[in-house]
Amino acid sequence: MSFSGFRYSKTLKDDIVMPLSIANFNVLNHEHLNRFTIFREDENTINNRYIVSAAILLEYITTYKIIAISLSEVTKEYYDVLVDMLFYYIQQNTVKYFYDGKSLMTIFFDSDSIKITMAKQVELDIDHKRDRLQIFNLGLKYKNKNYYLTYINIHGYGLPEIRKQYLHNTMFEICQLQNDEKIDNDFLCIGDFNSDLNQVNIAIEDVKNENCFLDLSLYKNYLPTSYHRYIVDQKGKFNQKPEEERYIKLDHLLYTKNFKIEQFNIFPNNFAEYEHPYFI
């Protein structure tokens, strides 16, 4: 599994700095694995992998005090496993979670210093020509004061023939939501974009040229976050990619000017040293 974590600070209007830790994780849908790779998982293997990965995920969340995490390729099976493991947080009323029933799941946790007082999901028009999105306007209580920001979970479509247009449409829609004051001026967008740094940067610049996102930044770290050993051709044949092209960065973070990145981590630390993510 590859788990990307960011530690941020947000400068507030009264010059208070609020520390925020957020993360992203692609579950690896077993149906995608069985269909688009040479690997195969039976029901027991699927269940065991989901149990192990969910347990590791919650360990990271606890250790690094994650308050928000974007999940993608979440199956009903993984959702059931994860919600069972969230039982303690649910009982303590310190977690809010949202699942779209298809791929995206976003989870918010109270920390020792920050309480999520509101997580209101933004209603989006149904549009099959943009990437998958979950958008939330958040209320946070920190040092007895209330603050607000928007958090966006994104899962991009990786098909080469549509990726560029879908990514552009997605960035433009987020811009329109901001212009229409449906989301906060301060926002974070994190997830599996299924596009590399250059492709995301081009999409942002194109939208900026349309007078949007004048202060939007893309975190430009080149550490790989994704592993793809094979590529499938149009005839359905699996071809091995060159070793130097197997580890790539497809998970990204967009942020506005009031945020400052303090730290970026990929877990496990030896992610690019052995075969991932098909076994743990």
Side-chain angles (χ1 to χ4, degrees):
M1 60 190 295
S2 172
F3 171 92
S4 304
F6 293 84
R7 181 175 175 81
Y8 280 89
S9 61
K10 183 180 187 297
T11 302
L12 306 172
K13 293 179 181 179
D14 43 11
D15 293 328
I16 293 176
V17 176
M18 177 171 57
L20 300 169
S21 295
I22 65 175
N24 171 64
F25 176 54
N26 185 308
V27 169
L28 181 58
N29 183 331
H30 63 272
E31 293 179 355
H32 292 183
L33 186 148
N34 288 342
R35 180 179 177 185
F36 297 115
T37 79
I38 65 169
F39 300 91
R40 295 293 180 269
E41 290 184 327
D42 58 28
E43 186 174 342
N44 287 336
T45 304
I46 293 166
N47 190 58
N48 288 338
R49 176 167 67 84
Y50 284 166
I51 290 172
V52 172
S53 70
I56 294 174
L57 187 70
L58 289 178
E59 180 182 347
Y60 285 145
I61 288 169
T62 302
T63 301
Y64 295 96
K65 297 179 170 54
I66 304 297
I67 70 160
I69 183 166
S70 298
L71 302 177
S72 56
E73 293 195 25
V74 176
T75 64
K76 178 62 166 60
E77 294 85 349
Y78 188 87
Y79 171 83
D80 290 340
V81 167
L82 186 56
V83 170
D84 282 346
M85 291 189 179
L86 288 172
F87 179 77
Y88 171 79
Y89 299 95
I90 294 171
Q91 289 292 96
Q92 297 295 315
N93 197 29
T94 58
V95 64
K96 295 176 174 63
Y97 56 94
F98 303 84
Y99 178 44
D100 69 0
K102 299 176 182 178
S103 170
L104 295 181
M105 184 174 181
T106 307
I107 311 176
F108 302 104
F109 295 89
D110 291 343
S111 70
D112 293 338
S113 59
I114 300 173
K115 181 175 177 59
I116 309 294
T117 58
M118 177 188 74
K120 184 177 181 180
Q121 189 164 2
V122 177
E123 185 175 341
L124 301 174
D125 292 334
I126 297 175
D127 188 342
H128 299 294
K129 294 183 180 180
R130 63 157 167 76
D131 294 327
R132 291 152 288 204
L133 294 171
Q134 281 185 318
I135 302 179
F136 302 89
N137 290 323
L138 299 182
L140 300 90
K141 191 166 189 177
Y142 179 66
K143 294 189 174 181
N144 293 318
K145 291 187 177 181
N146 295 314
Y147 302 99
Y148 302 93
L149 61 91
T150 294
Y151 183 92
I152 302 173
N153 181 1
I154 180 173
H155 186 203
Y157 286 94
L159 297 173
E161 62 270 23
I162 65 172
R163 177 170 53 200
K164 180 179 179 180
Q165 188 61 52
Y166 274 42
L167 181 58
H168 176 273
N169 293 348
T170 302
M171 295 297 101
F172 188 79
E173 179 164 345
I174 294 172
C175 170
Q176 290 299 111
L177 289 171
Q178 190 180 53
N179 288 345
D180 295 340
E181 299 183 347
K182 293 182 179 180
I183 63 174
D184 201 276
N185 286 330
D186 289 338
F187 70 83
L188 300 166
C189 177
I190 180 174
D192 177 1
F193 281 68
N194 261 318
S195 296
D196 62 29
L197 270 170
N198 185 54
Q199 292 164 332
V200 177
N201 194 57
I202 290 173
I204 293 170
E205 292 304 315
D206 285 346
V207 173
K208 281 185 177 181
N209 290 334
E210 300 172 22
N211 297 318
C212 292
F213 297 151
L214 297 181
D215 73 334
L216 185 67
S217 296
L218 167 65
Y219 182 61
K220 296 180 180 179
N221 180 293
Y222 292 91
L223 291 175
T225 62
S226 180
Y227 173 83
H228 293 80
R229 180 175 175 181
Y230 297 92
I231 188 168
V232 184
D233 63 23
Q234 291 182 341
K235 297 180 180 179
K237 180 181 178 181
F238 291 93
N239 299 306
Q240 288 204 58
K241 299 175 69 173
E243 288 189 15
E244 64 273 14
E245 296 180 8
R246 295 179 185 178
Y247 291 94
I248 53 179
K249 182 175 181 64
L250 297 178
D251 303 271
H252 305 288
L253 173 79
L254 306 177
Y255 59 100
T256 48
K257 63 183 179 182
N258 281 334
F259 295 96
K260 178 183 177 182
I261 301 173
E262 296 182 350
Q263 188 175 357
F264 169 66
N265 294 302
I266 296 175
F267 307 99
N269 295 326
N270 60 348
F271 171 66
E273 294 180 9
Y274 60 97
E275 299 278 326
H276 276 280
Y278 304 114
F279 55 83
I280 299 173

